[in-house]
């Protein structure tokens, strides 16, 4: 069936597909960044919800805080336990029949973003939680004794430190998210792996797949290097103390 | 900075080695496989003597599919392959799942003995695999939602040419299964948006959901689907008809000949007509 060079690295086989491939990669980038924004927002909200505690106040307030916490825990556990592919397929095949306004007219692209955001919000929430818990209890006590409210303390003392500490695992998750966008291809969204596979099935030549691989590497390799630098810098500065999950 | 570049280079080298390694494996496998076949069963070149391994994209009802709660593959192709295999004394027939868009490269590489998957014989595909004689005449068909036919009702009951189909479907969103002749036809429609699915049923469901306007697919399969999915209807057939054939690794002429002889036998003794009636509820067209 031809040599490895012809099968995987043939420029002639890639050239006619190049524009399609770049358009596909643009879809991949869009999926990645839009999902990231939603997942970061959702993840932060979930992480804070999970930290909700009410030491003062009456019983109703304590029950309320407990419910909020429970809700966050259930959400995070469920979505951490589900394969992203399954979430994508379930949403795609069932949303149009749900009669939920707006959601039932979602395109494949929008369903992909929704599914990835739902799943990654759970992952990111766990990372944020680890960050929040890594801030020493003493700082919180100090802030409270200076007269800050619970909310002020969270916003001004805990979260800024937490976010900085979890940068490496967040970037890691971002890289994984960018790769998981290829799952959205199953619902006929023209991301780069999907179009490369289409090209391969027409020409029976794998070079478009190689081209897709190269596009991914151009995107992910610098990120991987940045993560490593972050970790090294943090280690130098504090002798440990970064949080790495998964 | 230097450490940076060195690390990048290391990753690049590692990646190349992995890629080359995979390619090398595939390359080494093919000749070894063929060698084993010829020595083990010189007459038919089966991967395992006495056993027929069939590659098929399942589900594609009524040609190959599984019923709820069962792993047993059923359908027209299944019955026909078993009947043909019986004519040359092979009763152990196993159907193996293979995605349609990779079925031709996998067949050519000899991952199974034969591909039986409602495969239309085309000149393009003949460059990669060997085909048996035709065993089924199939039309492409235009399928729409009953509630919103996008003006294609005008075609109802007609048989149209591919050119007429291209004009009629202009600027619509067309659902197809990737790698099929329906997908090839859809790609030629001017201004159309293509949604290519891995499984043809996903295309049918996308049509019900209103994600696509129309589905281009083999007539027999689409017509069968409308029984279970009454929201859908097939408005027109596209001629000229296409012929289904079984696909083989290009070097295994012995098995192709055995299949052709077997097909002639089952057609002559009425087994073919029986199987045809079982799945399509009508007599096979005179050939």
């Amino acid at each position: 069936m031809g040599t490895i060079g012809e099968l995987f690295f043939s420029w002639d086989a890639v050239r006619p597909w190049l524009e399609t491939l770049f358009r596909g990669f643009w879809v991949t980038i869009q999926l990645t960044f839009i999902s990231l924004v939603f997942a970061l927002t959702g993840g932060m909200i979930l992480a804070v919800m999970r930290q909700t505690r009410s030491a003062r106040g009456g019983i109703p307030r304590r029950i309320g805080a407990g419910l909020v916490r429970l809700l966050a825990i259930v959400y995070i556990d469920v979505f951490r336990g589900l394969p992203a592919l399954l979430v994508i397929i379930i949403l795609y095949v069932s949303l149009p029949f749900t009669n939920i306004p707006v959601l039932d007219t979602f395109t494949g692209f929008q369903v992909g973003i929704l599914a990835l955001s739902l799943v990654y919000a759970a992952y990111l929430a766990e990372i944020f939680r680890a960050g929040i818990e890594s801030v020493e209890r003493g700082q919180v006590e100090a802030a409270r004794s200076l007269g800050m409210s619970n909310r002020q303390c969270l916003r001004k003392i805990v979260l800024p430190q937490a976010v900085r500490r979890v940068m490496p695992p967040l970037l890691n998750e971002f890289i994984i998210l960018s790769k998981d966008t290829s799952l959205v291809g199953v619902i006929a969204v023209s991301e780069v792996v999907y179009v490369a596979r289409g090209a391969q099935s027409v020409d029976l030549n794998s070079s478009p797949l190689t081209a897709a691989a190269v596009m991914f590497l151009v995107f992910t390799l610098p990120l991987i290097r940045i993560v490593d630098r972050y970790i090294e810098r943090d280690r130098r500065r504090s002798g440990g103390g970064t949080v790495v999950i998964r | 900075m230097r450490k940076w570049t060195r690390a990048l280079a290391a990753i690049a080298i590692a990646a190349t080695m992995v890629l080359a390694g995979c390619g090398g494996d595939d390359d080494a496998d093919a000749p070894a496989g063929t060698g084993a076949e010829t020595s083990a069963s010189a007459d038919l070149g089966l991967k395992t003597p006495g056993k027929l391994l069939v590659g098929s994209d399942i589900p594609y009802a009524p040609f190959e599919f599984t019923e709820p709660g069962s792993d047993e593959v059923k359908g027209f192709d299944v019955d026909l392959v078993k009947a043909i295999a019986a004519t040359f004394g092979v009763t152990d027939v196993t159907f193996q799942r293979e995605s349609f868009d990779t079925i031709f490269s996998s067949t050519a590489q000899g991952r199974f003995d034969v591909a039986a998957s409602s495969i239309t014989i085309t000149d393009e595909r003949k460059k990669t695999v060997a085909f048996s004689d035709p065993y089924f005449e199939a039309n492409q068909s235009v399928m729409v939602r009953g509630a919103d036919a996008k003006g294609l009702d005008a075609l109802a009951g007609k048989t149209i040419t591919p050119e007429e189909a291209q004009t009629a479907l202009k600027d619509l969103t067309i659902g197809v299964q990737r790698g099929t002749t329906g997908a090839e036809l859809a790609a030629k429609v001017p201004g159309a948006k293509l949604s290519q699915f891995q499984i043809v049923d996903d295309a049918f469901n996308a049509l019900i959901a209103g994600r696509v306007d129309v589905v281009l697919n083999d007539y027999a399969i689409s017509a069968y689907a409308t029984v279970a999915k009454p929201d859908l209807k097939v408005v027109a057939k596209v001629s000229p008809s296409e012929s289904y054939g079984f696909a083989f690794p290009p070097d295994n002429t012995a098995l192709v000949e055995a299949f052709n002889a077997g097909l002639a036998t089952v057609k002559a003794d009425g087994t073919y007509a029986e199987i045809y009636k079982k799945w399509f509820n009508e007599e096979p067209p005179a050939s």
Side-chain angles (χ1 to χ4, degrees):
Chain A
M1 288 207 50
T3 66
I4 292 171
E6 282 167 27
L7 271 178
F8 292 97
F9 302 104
S10 157
W11 176 240
D12 285 339
V14 172
R15 199 164 32 208
W17 297 99
L18 211 53
E19 203 205 319
T20 323
L21 286 167
F22 272 116
R23 236 183 293 130
F25 194 59
W26 173 233
V27 174
T28 298
I29 296 287
Q30 284 175 302
L31 283 170
T32 308
F33 280 94
I34 301 175
S35 306
L36 179 73
V37 170
F38 286 125
L40 280 173
T41 317
M44 182 57 91
I45 293 171
L46 284 166
V48 172
M49 277 170 74
R50 201 174 176 162
Q51 294 299 313
T52 312
R53 277 193 178 80
S54 189
R56 289 174 307 159
I59 289 178
R61 208 163 152 192
R62 286 194 198 188
I63 292 177
L67 274 179
V68 168
R69 206 163 62 236
L70 184 72
L71 205 69
I73 290 172
V74 168
Y75 178 95
I76 292 170
D77 284 2
V78 166
F79 278 97
R80 276 175 78 202
L82 287 177
L85 182 63
L86 183 66
V87 177
I88 292 168
I89 295 172
I90 287 182
L91 290 181
Y92 185 72
V93 299
S94 56
L95 276 185
F97 306 108
T98 54
N99 293 323
I100 305 171
V102 186
L103 279 187
D104 62 357
T105 58
F106 261 27
T107 62
F109 180 75
Q110 289 163 328
V111 170
I113 287 173
L114 177 64
L116 289 174
S117 304
L118 287 174
V119 171
Y120 275 82
Y123 292 149
L124 298 189
E126 282 301 272
I127 291 176
F128 282 134
R129 177 170 77 114
I132 291 170
E133 285 175 357
S134 77
V135 177
E136 295 80 2
R137 182 98 196 115
Q139 292 198 28
V140 179
E141 281 160 6
R144 295 306 305 274
S145 66
L146 285 172
M148 281 190 181
S149 73
N150 229 336
R151 192 164 300 170
Q152 275 179 319
C153 165
L154 188 68
R155 219 181 61 224
K156 295 194 171 148
I157 308 291
V158 179
L159 287 186
Q161 296 187 69
V163 168
R164 197 166 319 145
R165 284 190 192 171
V166 296
M167 267 324 267
L170 273 186
L171 274 169
N172 236 343
E173 213 60 37
F174 174 60
I175 294 167
I176 302 171
L177 169 63
S178 75
K179 296 188 292 182
D180 271 1
T181 55
S182 59
L183 298 173
V184 181
V186 290
I187 55 173
V189 172
S190 309
E191 46 79 36
V192 69
V193 178
Y194 173 89
V195 296
R197 216 160 132 64
Q200 195 273 341
S201 78
V202 171
D203 289 349
L204 298 174
N205 184 298
S206 298
S207 304
L209 294 171
T210 312
V214 170
M215 288 178 180
F216 262 111
L217 287 178
V218 167
F219 181 68
T220 53
L221 280 185
L223 285 170
I224 291 170
R225 296 309 311 151
I226 291 172
V227 174
D228 283 6
R229 279 232 295 211
Y230 249 114
I231 293 173
E232 215 162 288
R233 195 200 63 189
D234 278 13
R235 193 182 298 140
R236 245 183 289 125
R237 194 182 282 170
S238 62
T242 47
V243 189
V244 179
I245 293 186
R246 289 218 300 169
Chain B
M1 202 60 205
R2 195 178 297 157
K3 214 160 78 195
W4 243 82
T5 14
R6 211 186 300 156
L8 265 179
I11 292 170
I13 291 169
T16 324
M17 276 164 65
V18 169
L19 268 179
C22 295
D25 272 359
D26 271 2
D27 232 30
D29 266 2
T34 350
E37 280 160 25
T38 33
S39 62
S41 173
D43 46 351
L44 291 176
L46 297 179
K47 284 177 80 73
T48 315
K51 277 187 180 178
L52 188 68
L53 186 60
V54 189
S56 188
D57 180 32
I58 304 161
Y60 204 59
F63 284 85
E64 40 268 326
F65 63 102
T66 52
E67 301 227 307
S70 158
D71 284 336
E72 194 199 348
V73 186
K74 302 173 127 184
F76 179 81
D77 279 348
V78 181
D79 287 350
L80 186 58
V81 167
K82 282 183 177 162
I84 291 172
T87 63
F88 48 81
V90 174
T91 50
D92 190 346
V93 179
T94 310
F95 270 70
Q96 177 183 308
R97 286 170 194 274
E98 174 73 34
S99 203
F100 199 78
D101 58 352
T102 52
I103 206 163
F104 299 102
S105 39
S106 296
T107 305
Q109 286 162 5
R111 292 201 181 154
F112 28 77
D113 298 311
V114 54
S117 196
S118 320
I119 301 170
T120 304
I121 303 172
T122 69
D123 288 338
E124 198 60 38
R125 290 170 177 173
K126 276 184 190 164
K127 288 180 196 158
T128 318
V129 294
F131 275 108
S132 70
D133 291 337
Y135 68 86
F136 189 86
E137 292 301 314
N139 289 97
Q140 285 297 308
S141 69
V142 180
M143 184 194 232
V144 295
R145 260 189 317 284
D148 179 13
K150 298 279 166 195
L152 294 170
D153 271 334
L155 303 174
K158 285 191 193 159
T159 301
I160 56 177
T161 66
E163 289 72 28
E164 285 171 329
Q166 285 170 35
T167 326
L169 303 185
K170 218 173 80 164
D171 299 331
L172 293 179
T173 305
I174 307 174
V176 293
Q177 183 181 12
R178 164 178 290 161
T180 58
T181 41
E184 279 171 35
L185 178 58
K188 291 182 197 142
V189 177
K193 250 190 82 203
L194 224 61
S195 276
Q196 306 197 45
F197 295 90
Q198 205 70 27
I199 308 172
V200 73
D201 296 272
D202 281 348
F204 296 149
N205 288 331
L207 182 57
I208 299 176
R211 287 203 163 102
V212 299
D213 300 324
V214 55
V215 169
L216 271 181
N217 195 57
D218 293 3
Y219 173 75
I221 289 84
S222 294
Y224 189 85
T226 56
V227 178
K229 301 175 164 76
D231 290 351
L232 302 177
K233 73 180 184 203
V234 177
V235 284
K237 288 185 187 181
V238 182
S239 71
S241 65
E242 303 165 341
S243 305
Y244 290 171
F246 301 113
F248 303 85
D251 51 358
N252 195 352
T253 43
L255 191 60
V256 181
E257 278 160 23
F259 255 78
N260 286 342
L263 181 61
T265 311
V266 296
K267 273 191 169 171
D269 69 8
T271 317
Y272 180 89
E274 227 171 80
I275 297 172
Y276 196 100
K277 252 194 287 190
K278 173 177 168 193
W279 293 107
F280 303 110
N281 241 333
E282 58 185 44
E283 296 290 333
S287 52

